[in-house]
């Protein structure tokens, strides 16, 4: 009997099994990598980010299936699911049916308002499309590395919402005016946009200024410009946008700040061995080598992004420069904002 053909057939079968396992292993490795990134953010950027009390389940969508990491009991009662991986404190389930039919996800979502049977009622879930599905909607995302920074941005929103005072304030005082309204004012009112852009430039100048006296003058000029704009807006439109702007600057500015922290981290991080084996879209952080913030104008310029993302991001960076501790105060008192803490320095 010739054993060579049998051995060859065995190797082929093993190779086919490995190919079949590879897509799911890639999913597991990506989810585990994201969870390990949360630990890095806590260690290097934002203490308590990875505390169990602030954990938010992650739903990972492919084009045909859903995987969920550390789901709630309510989720498991709502969707028939099978445990497919357990790794330390992380349990990953695969749902029998896709959680929903939306073609793209990259958000932390929950249901608010009157009680509903929804699995995410007052319970935030991070929902992300796979890298392969994400690039269909956002072609500029060039690697798994970049994709994970987007996920951590959204994860930070979950961290925010898991602080009950913040959740209560957001639900009762803010949610009725959505961010799109502020964006519309910026796009449709030239004088409003001009002032916002000038305010943001004053923040950038204050960050760059080395002289402490000049820094204070620039910050005061920022307050004067902002007060004038808000007063003009209220006079013309009979509506105060102060608390909404402060809340969304804090919400999105800090999420961007945490996302940005990964860019600096990835500049020196060693490649992840598991992703190197399972994920051809993982590029070993190549884009972030010798990272220079100035090239990513969408992070800090109001006319290159949604404006309050940039102003909030720059306020956080200015507070860092001034040596003012703010991270432990945000979200624990629902309404306190980056602006409030910066104003205390007047």
């Amino acid at each position: 009997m010739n054993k060579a053909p049998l051995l060859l057939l065995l190797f082929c079968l093993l190779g086919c099994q490995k190919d079949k396992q590879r897509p799911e292993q890639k999913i597991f490795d990506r989810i585990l990598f994201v969870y390990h990134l949360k630990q890095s953010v806590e260690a290097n950027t934002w203490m308590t980010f990875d505390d169990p009390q602030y954990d938010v389940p992650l739903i990972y969508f492919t084009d045909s299936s859903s995987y969920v990491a550390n789901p709630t009991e309510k989720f498991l009662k709502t969707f028939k699911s099978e445990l497919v991986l357990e790794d330390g404190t992380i349990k990953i389930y695969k749902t029998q049916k896709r959680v929903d039919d939306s073609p793209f996800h990259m958000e932390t979502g929950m249901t608010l308002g009157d009680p509903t049977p929804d699995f995410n009622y007052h319970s935030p879930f991070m929902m992300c499309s796979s890298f392969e599905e994400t690039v269909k909607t956002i072609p500029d995302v060039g690697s798994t590395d970049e994709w994970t920074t987007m996920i951590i941005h959204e994860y930070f929103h979950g961290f925010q919402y898991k602080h009950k005072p913040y959740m209560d304030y957001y639900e009762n005082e803010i949610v009725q005016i959505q961010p799109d309204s502020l964006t519309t004012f910026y796009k449709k009112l030239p004088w409003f946009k001009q002032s916002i852009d000038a305010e943001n430039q004053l923040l950038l100048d204050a960050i760059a200024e080395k002289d402490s006296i000049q820094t204070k003058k620039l910050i005061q000029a920022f307050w004067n410009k902002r007060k004038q704009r808000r007063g003009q807006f209220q006079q013309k439109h009979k509506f105060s946008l102060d608390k909404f702007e402060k809340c969304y600057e804090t919400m999105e500015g800090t999420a961007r700040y945490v996302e940005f922290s990964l860019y600096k981290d990835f500049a020196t991080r060693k490649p992840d061995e598991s992703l190197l084996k399972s994920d051809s879209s993982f590029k070993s952080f190549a884009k972030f080598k010798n990272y220079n913030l100035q090239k990513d104008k969408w992070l800090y310029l109001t006319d290159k992004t949604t404006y309050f993302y940039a102003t909030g991001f720059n306020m956080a960076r200015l507070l860092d420069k001034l040596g003012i501790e703010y991270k432990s105060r945000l979200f624990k008192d629902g309404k306190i904002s980056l602006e409030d803490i910066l104003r205390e320095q007047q």
Side-chain angles (χ1 to χ4, degrees):
M1 182 177 178
N2 192 342
K3 294 183 179 181
L6 289 176
L7 288 172
L8 182 60
L9 178 60
L10 178 60
F11 289 143
C12 288
L13 288 172
L14 289 173
C16 290
Q17 288 177 348
K18 185 178 180 181
D19 288 342
K20 289 179 180 179
Q21 292 170 356
R22 189 171 297 146
E24 194 159 72
Q25 185 60 50
K26 176 171 62 179
I27 292 168
F28 299 155
D29 289 340
R30 286 173 174 175
I31 292 174
L32 292 172
F33 180 67
V34 166
Y35 268 80
H36 295 150
L37 281 182
K38 290 171 64 182
Q39 297 170 12
S40 296
V41 170
E42 174 167 305
N44 301 324
T45 305
W46 204 288
M47 290 180 62
T48 74
F49 178 52
D50 195 41
D51 279 12
Q53 63 181 318
Y54 303 127
D55 186 43
V56 175
L58 181 150
I59 307 177
Y60 177 108
F61 293 85
T62 70
D63 59 346
S64 59
S65 58
S66 302
Y67 296 79
V68 58
N70 290 355
T72 61
E73 289 188 15
K74 188 174 183 180
F75 180 94
L76 293 176
K77 290 178 180 178
T78 305
F79 299 96
K80 290 184 178 181
S81 308
E82 175 189 4
L83 180 64
V84 289
L85 181 76
E86 185 169 1
D87 187 306
T89 59
I90 302 170
K91 292 183 178 181
I92 301 176
Y93 292 78
K94 183 176 182 180
T95 59
Q96 196 173 79
K97 296 181 179 179
R98 203 171 186 270
V99 170
D100 64 40
D101 295 326
S102 297
F104 177 68
H105 283 288
M106 189 60 71
E107 75 276 354
T108 294
M110 60 185 165
T111 302
L112 299 175
D114 295 334
T116 72
D118 294 348
F119 73 90
N120 63 348
Y121 177 72
H122 273 215
S123 179
F125 274 68
M126 167 57 207
M127 297 183 284
C128 69
S129 294
S130 67
F131 169 76
E132 290 76 14
E133 294 303 299
T134 296
V135 294
K136 294 177 184 178
T137 301
I138 313 175
D140 290 342
V141 181
S143 66
T144 300
D145 324 12
E146 295 176 64
W147 171 80
T148 58
T149 67
M150 300 167 64
I151 293 175
I152 292 298
H153 176 116
E154 294 302 331
Y155 242 125
F156 196 75
H157 289 318
F159 169 78
Q160 296 165 352
Y161 299 145
K162 292 288 280 189
H163 290 76
K164 190 175 186 305
Y166 184 79
M167 170 79 85
D168 292 344
Y169 176 69
Y170 176 68
E171 181 175 24
N172 296 326
E173 300 286 338
I174 301 298
V175 74
Q176 63 270 27
I177 301 296
Q178 286 294 292
D180 288 350
S181 297
L182 301 185
T183 303
T184 298
F185 301 146
Y186 180 81
K187 291 180 178 179
K188 300 294 185 182
L189 302 174
W191 67 267
F192 188 95
K193 178 184 184 304
Q194 184 179 19
S195 181
I196 287 286
D197 292 346
E199 291 166 41
N200 190 60
Q201 188 57 54
L202 287 165
L203 289 174
L204 291 171
D205 292 344
I207 292 170
E209 180 58 57
K210 296 181 179 180
D211 183 81
S212 60
I213 295 176
Q214 289 301 317
T215 299
K216 290 182 179 179
K217 289 181 178 179
L218 288 165
I219 294 173
Q220 186 57 54
F222 165 78
W223 294 130
N224 295 341
K225 192 73 173 173
R226 174 159 285 204
K227 181 179 180 180
Q228 181 183 23
R229 172 180 59 83
R230 286 179 174 170
Q232 185 176 348
F233 183 89
Q234 185 165 4
Q235 184 178 23
K236 288 185 175 183
H237 300 278
K238 312 304 179 186
F239 173 73
S240 173
L241 50 73
D242 296 27
K243 68 179 181 181
F244 304 104
E245 200 166 67
K246 290 196 296 182
C247 182
Y248 288 125
E249 277 181 330
T250 301
M251 177 188 293
E252 297 297 352
T254 55
R256 175 161 291 182
Y257 176 92
V258 167
E259 180 181 5
F260 167 68
S261 75
L262 289 179
Y263 300 171
K264 296 184 291 181
D265 181 12
F266 286 177
T268 57
R269 181 182 281 259
K270 294 181 180 179
D272 183 86
E273 294 297 329
S274 296
L275 284 176
L276 279 174
K277 294 176 183 177
S278 64
D279 186 359
S280 62
S281 299
F282 177 64
K283 304 302 181 184
S284 300
F285 315 117
K287 178 179 178 178
F288 302 97
K289 304 301 180 186
N290 303 312
Y291 180 75
N292 183 352
L293 169 62
Q294 301 306 314
K295 294 180 179 179
D296 281 338
K297 291 180 169 52
W298 63 273
L299 283 170
Y300 60 89
L301 291 182
T302 44
D303 62 352
K304 301 294 184 183
T305 186
T306 304
Y307 82 83
F308 44 84
Y309 284 58
T311 51
F313 174 64
N314 291 329
M315 279 188 192
R317 294 198 298 139
L318 179 55
L319 287 168
D320 281 346
K321 176 201 169 172
L322 297 173
I324 298 166
E325 207 293 307
Y326 61 96
K327 296 173 184 176
S328 64
R329 297 177 61 188
L330 294 177
F331 316 122
K332 293 178 181 177
D333 174 348
K335 67 180 181 179
I336 194 168
S337 67
L338 290 166
E339 179 178 315
D340 295 328
I341 296 174
L342 186 58
R343 278 190 183 278
E344 293 173 356
Q345 313 311 309
Q346 284 183 291

